[in-house]
Protein backbone atom coordinates (compact mmCIF):
# COMPACT_ATOMS: atom_id res chain seq x y z
CA UNK A 1 0.00 0.00 0.00
CA UNK A 2 1.37 3.40 -0.94
CA UNK A 3 1.10 6.29 1.48
CA UNK A 4 -1.25 9.23 0.98
CA UNK A 5 1.56 11.46 -0.28
CA UNK A 6 2.58 9.16 -3.13
CA UNK A 7 2.16 10.52 -6.64
CA UNK A 8 3.12 9.29 -10.08
CA UNK A 9 2.87 11.16 -13.39
CA UNK A 10 1.23 9.41 -16.34
CA UNK A 11 0.81 10.26 -20.00
CA UNK A 12 -2.74 8.87 -19.84
CA UNK A 13 -5.59 8.55 -17.39
CA UNK A 14 -7.50 5.47 -16.27
CA UNK A 15 -10.34 4.45 -14.08
CA UNK A 16 -10.21 3.18 -10.50
CA UNK A 17 -9.81 -0.53 -9.80
CA UNK A 18 -10.01 -2.82 -6.82
CA UNK A 19 -6.70 -1.86 -5.17
CA UNK A 20 -8.45 1.49 -4.42
CA UNK A 21 -5.78 3.59 -6.10
CA UNK A 22 -7.09 6.07 -8.61
CA UNK A 23 -6.09 8.75 -11.09
CA UNK A 24 -7.50 12.27 -11.19
CA UNK A 25 -7.83 14.53 -14.22
CA UNK A 26 -4.32 15.95 -13.82
CA UNK A 27 -2.81 12.48 -14.36
CA UNK A 28 -1.44 12.33 -10.80
CA UNK A 29 -2.04 9.18 -8.80
CA UNK A 30 -3.12 9.56 -5.18
CA UNK A 31 -3.91 6.65 -2.87
CA UNK A 32 -7.48 6.88 -1.63
CA UNK A 33 -8.33 10.01 -3.63
CA UNK A 34 -11.56 9.44 -5.53
CA UNK A 35 -12.16 13.01 -6.71
CA UNK A 36 -12.55 13.93 -10.35
CA UNK A 37 -12.33 10.38 -11.64
CA UNK A 38 -12.36 10.04 -15.39
CA UNK A 39 -14.57 7.05 -16.18
CA UNK A 40 -13.14 6.20 -19.59
CA UNK A 41 -10.41 3.59 -18.98
CA UNK A 42 -7.02 3.66 -20.65
CA UNK A 43 -5.29 0.38 -19.99
CA UNK A 44 -1.82 1.51 -20.97
CA UNK A 45 -2.10 3.95 -18.06
CA UNK A 46 -3.34 1.15 -15.83
CA UNK A 47 -0.40 -0.97 -16.91
CA UNK A 48 2.20 1.71 -16.20
CA UNK A 49 0.67 2.37 -12.81
CA UNK A 50 0.56 -1.28 -11.75
CA UNK A 51 4.06 -1.86 -13.13
CA UNK A 52 5.41 1.05 -11.08
CA UNK A 53 3.90 -0.48 -7.94
CA UNK A 54 5.04 -4.01 -8.84
CA UNK A 55 1.51 -5.30 -9.47
CA UNK A 56 0.81 -7.79 -12.24
CA UNK A 57 -1.89 -6.92 -14.75
CA UNK A 58 -4.49 -9.70 -14.58
CA UNK A 59 -6.34 -10.59 -17.78
CA UNK A 60 -9.23 -13.04 -18.19
CA UNK A 61 -10.22 -14.04 -21.73
CA UNK A 62 -13.85 -15.10 -22.05
CA UNK A 63 -15.92 -17.09 -24.53
CA UNK A 64 -19.02 -19.29 -24.36
CA UNK A 65 -17.56 -22.70 -23.48
CA UNK A 66 -13.86 -22.07 -22.74
CA UNK A 67 -12.70 -24.82 -25.06
CA UNK A 68 -11.95 -22.90 -28.30
CA UNK A 69 -11.52 -19.15 -28.55
CA UNK A 70 -10.72 -18.04 -25.00
CA UNK A 71 -8.11 -20.76 -24.33
CA UNK A 72 -6.61 -20.00 -27.73
CA UNK A 73 -6.34 -16.35 -26.69
CA UNK A 74 -5.00 -17.31 -23.25
CA UNK A 75 -2.17 -19.52 -24.45
CA UNK A 76 -1.29 -17.44 -27.48
CA UNK A 77 -1.02 -14.31 -25.33
CA UNK A 78 1.05 -16.19 -22.74
CA UNK A 79 3.40 -17.15 -25.58
CA UNK A 80 3.55 -13.55 -26.79
CA UNK A 81 4.47 -12.09 -23.41
CA UNK A 82 6.99 -14.89 -22.82
CA UNK A 83 8.74 -14.17 -26.11
CA UNK A 84 8.74 -10.48 -25.21
CA UNK A 85 10.39 -11.26 -21.86
CA UNK A 86 7.41 -9.83 -19.95
CA UNK A 87 5.98 -12.88 -18.18
CA UNK A 88 6.37 -11.29 -14.76
CA UNK A 89 4.11 -8.38 -15.78
CA UNK A 90 0.94 -10.37 -16.50
CA UNK A 91 -1.35 -13.02 -15.05
CA UNK A 92 -3.39 -14.58 -17.87
CA UNK A 93 -6.31 -17.02 -17.74
CA UNK A 94 -9.55 -17.84 -19.56
CA UNK A 95 -13.11 -18.75 -18.68
CA UNK A 96 -16.58 -19.55 -20.01
CA UNK A 97 -19.92 -17.83 -19.59
CA UNK A 98 -21.73 -21.19 -19.56
CA UNK A 99 -21.51 -24.55 -17.80
CA UNK A 100 -21.85 -26.51 -21.06
CA UNK A 101 -18.22 -27.65 -21.37
CA UNK A 102 -17.24 -27.45 -17.70
CA UNK A 103 -14.15 -29.57 -17.01
CA UNK A 104 -13.54 -30.40 -20.67
CA UNK A 105 -10.07 -30.05 -22.23
CA UNK A 106 -9.24 -27.63 -25.02
CA UNK A 107 -10.98 -28.61 -28.27
CA UNK A 108 -8.66 -30.87 -30.36
CA UNK A 109 -8.36 -28.57 -33.43
CA UNK A 110 -7.33 -25.72 -31.14
CA UNK A 111 -4.80 -27.93 -29.35
CA UNK A 112 -3.41 -28.84 -32.77
CA UNK A 113 -3.08 -25.21 -33.86
CA UNK A 114 -1.23 -24.35 -30.65
CA UNK A 115 0.95 -27.46 -30.78
CA UNK A 116 2.02 -26.69 -34.36
CA UNK A 117 3.47 -23.45 -33.02
CA UNK A 118 5.15 -25.09 -30.04
CA UNK A 119 2.55 -23.98 -27.50
CA UNK A 120 1.43 -26.50 -24.88
CA UNK A 121 -2.10 -26.19 -23.43
CA UNK A 122 -2.23 -29.57 -21.72
CA UNK A 123 -3.89 -29.50 -18.33
CA UNK A 124 -6.29 -26.70 -19.25
CA UNK A 125 -9.90 -27.52 -18.39
CA UNK A 126 -12.99 -25.43 -19.08
CA UNK A 127 -13.88 -23.12 -16.21
CA UNK A 128 -16.97 -20.98 -15.80
CA UNK A 129 -16.36 -17.41 -14.66
CA UNK A 130 -17.58 -16.50 -11.17
CA UNK A 131 -18.70 -13.10 -9.94
CA UNK A 132 -15.63 -12.88 -7.67
CA UNK A 133 -13.44 -12.91 -10.78
CA UNK A 134 -14.55 -9.34 -11.49
CA UNK A 135 -12.48 -8.13 -8.55
CA UNK A 136 -9.61 -10.54 -9.25
CA UNK A 137 -8.94 -9.41 -12.83
CA UNK A 138 -8.18 -6.00 -14.34
CA UNK A 139 -9.48 -6.84 -17.81
CA UNK A 140 -12.29 -9.18 -18.83
CA UNK A 141 -11.88 -9.63 -22.59
CA UNK A 142 -14.77 -11.24 -24.46
CA UNK A 143 -14.69 -12.88 -27.87
CA UNK A 144 -18.17 -11.76 -29.01
CA UNK A 145 -21.26 -9.73 -28.16
CA UNK A 146 -23.13 -12.83 -26.98
CA UNK A 147 -20.50 -13.28 -24.28
CA UNK A 148 -21.26 -9.73 -23.14
CA UNK A 149 -24.96 -10.54 -22.85
CA UNK A 150 -24.34 -13.77 -20.95
CA UNK A 151 -22.04 -11.99 -18.51
CA UNK A 152 -25.18 -10.40 -17.08
CA UNK A 153 -26.04 -13.81 -15.62
CA UNK A 154 -22.76 -13.66 -13.70
CA UNK A 155 -22.14 -9.98 -12.97
CA UNK A 156 -25.70 -8.73 -12.87
CA UNK A 157 -27.37 -5.68 -14.39
CA UNK A 158 -26.75 -2.01 -13.60
CA UNK A 159 -29.67 0.32 -12.72
CA UNK A 160 -29.73 1.61 -16.32
CA UNK A 161 -30.17 -1.94 -17.64
CA UNK A 162 -26.61 -2.35 -18.91
CA UNK A 163 -24.06 -4.91 -17.79
CA UNK A 164 -22.93 -4.22 -14.22
CA UNK A 165 -19.36 -3.16 -15.00
CA UNK A 166 -18.67 -0.15 -12.75
CA UNK A 167 -14.90 -0.21 -13.33
CA UNK A 168 -15.19 -0.60 -17.12
CA UNK A 169 -13.12 -3.78 -17.21
CA UNK A 170 -15.17 -5.63 -19.85
CA UNK A 171 -14.02 -5.30 -23.46
CA UNK A 172 -14.37 -7.07 -26.79
CA UNK A 173 -11.04 -8.41 -28.02
CA UNK A 174 -11.41 -6.94 -31.49
CA UNK A 175 -12.10 -3.48 -30.04
CA UNK A 176 -8.33 -3.16 -29.56
CA UNK A 177 -8.01 -3.15 -33.36
CA UNK A 178 -10.62 -0.41 -33.69
CA UNK A 179 -13.19 -2.93 -34.95
CA UNK A 180 -16.11 -4.04 -32.78
CA UNK A 181 -16.75 -7.21 -34.76
CA UNK A 182 -17.05 -10.61 -33.08
CA UNK A 183 -14.44 -13.36 -33.23
CA UNK A 184 -16.35 -16.12 -35.02
CA UNK A 185 -16.85 -19.31 -33.03
CA UNK A 186 -14.98 -22.08 -34.89
CA UNK A 187 -16.91 -24.73 -32.93
CA UNK A 188 -19.81 -23.89 -35.27
CA UNK A 189 -18.10 -22.34 -38.29
CA UNK A 190 -15.32 -24.92 -38.55
CA UNK A 191 -12.97 -22.17 -39.74
CA UNK A 192 -10.19 -22.34 -37.16
CA UNK A 193 -7.74 -20.51 -39.42
CA UNK A 194 -9.98 -17.42 -39.52
CA UNK A 195 -10.41 -17.53 -35.75
CA UNK A 196 -6.65 -17.81 -35.28
CA UNK A 197 -6.13 -14.79 -37.53
CA UNK A 198 -8.71 -12.68 -35.69
CA UNK A 199 -7.36 -13.59 -32.25
CA UNK A 200 -3.76 -13.01 -33.33
CA UNK A 201 -4.70 -9.59 -34.67
CA UNK A 202 -6.61 -8.71 -31.50
CA UNK A 203 -3.82 -9.88 -29.19
CA UNK A 204 -1.18 -7.98 -31.14
CA UNK A 205 -3.21 -4.80 -30.69
CA UNK A 206 -3.79 -5.62 -27.01
CA UNK A 207 -0.05 -6.08 -26.48
CA UNK A 208 0.65 -2.73 -28.12
CA UNK A 209 -1.81 -1.06 -25.76
CA UNK A 210 0.53 -1.87 -22.87
CA UNK A 211 3.46 -0.08 -24.47
Amino acid sequence: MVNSGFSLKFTTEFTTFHEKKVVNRTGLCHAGDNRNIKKTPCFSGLFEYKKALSFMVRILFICHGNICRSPLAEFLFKDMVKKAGREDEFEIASAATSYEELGEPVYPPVRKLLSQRGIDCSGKRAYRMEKADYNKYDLLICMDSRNLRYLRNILGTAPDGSLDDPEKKVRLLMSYTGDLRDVADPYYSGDFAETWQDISEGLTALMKSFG
Side-chain angles (χ1 to χ4, degrees), residues 17-200:
F17 57 98
H18 66 275
E19 279 87 354
K20 307 300 183 187
K21 304 178 184 70
V22 298
V23 167
N24 65 22
R25 293 189 189 278
T26 66
L28 292 176
C29 164
H30 299 282
D33 182 358
N34 62 359
R35 296 169 295 176
N36 300 320
I37 301 304
K38 185 176 181 180
K39 293 300 183 181
T40 302
C42 175
F43 297 111
S44 60
L46 173 74
F47 171 74
E48 292 299 331
Y49 176 65
K50 297 196 81 176
K51 183 178 179 182
L53 297 177
S54 299
F55 290 129
M56 298 180 80
V57 176
R58 299 184 175 100
I59 301 174
L60 186 68
F61 293 105
I62 299 168
C63 71
H64 183 71
N66 195 213
I67 60 170
C68 290
R69 293 170 296 171
S70 60
L72 178 54
E74 173 190 348
F75 286 95
L76 185 53
F77 197 60
K78 284 179 176 177
D79 186 65
M80 290 173 67
V81 301
K82 180 180 180 180
K83 288 177 177 175
R86 301 175 67 173
E87 287 179 285
D88 61 341
E89 299 172 11
F90 298 92
E91 179 180 325
I92 305 161
S94 64
T97 58
S98 77
Y99 290 106
E100 293 177 16
E101 306 292 345
L102 194 64
E104 291 297 316
V106 176
Y107 199 48
V110 175
R111 292 204 308 267
K112 182 178 179 180
L113 280 173
L114 290 169
S115 179
Q116 288 173 342
R117 292 159 176 81
I119 303 172
D120 180 20
C121 65
S122 61
K124 170 64 180 175
R125 294 292 182 271
Y127 163 78
R128 193 220 187 218
M129 181 185 167
E130 299 177 352
K131 190 168 185 176
D133 289 325
Y134 187 85
N135 288 329
K136 179 179 179 180
Y137 292 95
D138 302 304
L139 284 173
L140 307 172
I141 301 180
C142 296
M143 298 297 115
D144 63 32
S145 53
R146 185 175 70 161
N147 304 152
L148 296 177
R149 294 194 299 272
Y150 284 9
L151 273 183
R152 295 187 188 202
N153 297 329
I154 301 171
L155 299 179
T157 303
D160 65 359
S162 63
L163 174 69
D164 190 14
D165 178 22
E167 298 180 33
K168 308 302 180 188
K169 296 180 176 185
V170 181
R171 299 287 297 272
L172 283 173
L173 176 61
M174 299 310 293
S175 70
Y176 288 92
T177 70
D179 189 343
L180 293 178
R181 76 180 188 275
D182 293 342
V183 175
D185 191 342
Y187 187 83
Y188 299 105
S189 71
D191 194 341
F192 289 87
E194 179 184 17
T195 298
W196 177 279
Q197 180 60 39
D198 280 351
I199 290 177
S200 296

